[in-house]
């Protein structure tokens, strides 16, 4: 019965989540009890600065206008409008799957 399996899976996931959360809290408590507060704050500040720099590095190369045009959209009044040519017939699911597998094979070869 799927409902029984779903409930069993849900309770296992919930138990795993609780256990993981308890382990995380234990690690945090150990860190808080073994380091001075100013060291913890300095470390958190350093990590925040590193994450900020990494995000800036990743987003600096983004060109939203170019990407929108490449995807054949136009931004009008904060809404994306599809400006691509309307195709007559959609490709079959089989051809899309074959195309996807072909792309995967080329990546791994």
């Amino acid at each position: 019965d799927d409902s029984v399996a779903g409930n069993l899976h849900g309770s296992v996931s919930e138990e795993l989540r609780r256990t993981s959360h308890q382990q995380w809290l234990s690690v945090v408590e150990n860190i808080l009890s073994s380091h001075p507060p100013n060291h913890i704050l300095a470390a958190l500040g350093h990590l925040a600065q590193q994450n900020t720099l990494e995000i800036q590095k990743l987003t600096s190369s983004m060109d939203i206008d170019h990407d929108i045009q490449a995807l054949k959209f136009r931004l009008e009044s904060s809404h994306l409008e599809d400006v691509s040519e309307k195709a007559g017939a959609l490709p079959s699911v089989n051809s899309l799957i074959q195309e996807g597998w072909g792309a995967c094979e080329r990546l791994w070869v």
Side-chain angles (χ1 to χ4, degrees):
D1 184 318
D2 287 339
S3 64
V4 172
N7 289 337
L8 180 62
H9 185 297
S11 64
V12 171
S13 296
E14 183 63 23
E15 183 63 30
L16 183 60
R17 188 192 66 77
R18 274 196 217 115
T19 302
S20 176
H21 186 253
Q22 274 305 121
Q23 289 173 341
W24 180 83
L25 283 176
S26 178
V27 169
V28 169
E29 288 172 348
N30 287 340
I31 290 171
L32 290 174
S33 66
S34 62
H35 294 82
N38 59 333
H39 288 185
I40 293 171
L41 286 175
L44 290 172
H46 179 73
L47 288 173
Q49 183 180 20
Q50 280 182 321
N51 287 339
T52 300
L53 292 173
E54 184 65 23
I55 289 171
Q56 288 172 343
K57 178 181 158 192
L58 292 171
T59 58
S60 68
S61 63
M62 294 174 60
D63 185 351
I64 302 297
D65 291 332
H66 175 265
D67 293 342
I68 288 173
Q69 289 175 359
L71 293 170
K72 299 192 180 186
F73 282 93
R74 180 175 51 217
L75 188 59
E76 290 284 328
S77 303
S78 300
H79 292 30
L80 287 177
E81 180 183 340
D82 185 355
V83 294
S84 62
E85 294 179 17
K86 304 297 180 206
L90 295 174
S92 71
V93 172
N94 189 34
S95 68
L96 291 173
I97 291 172
Q98 288 176 344
E99 183 181 327
W101 277 113
C104 288
E105 289 173 347
R106 286 189 298 277
L107 287 172
W108 292 104
V109 174

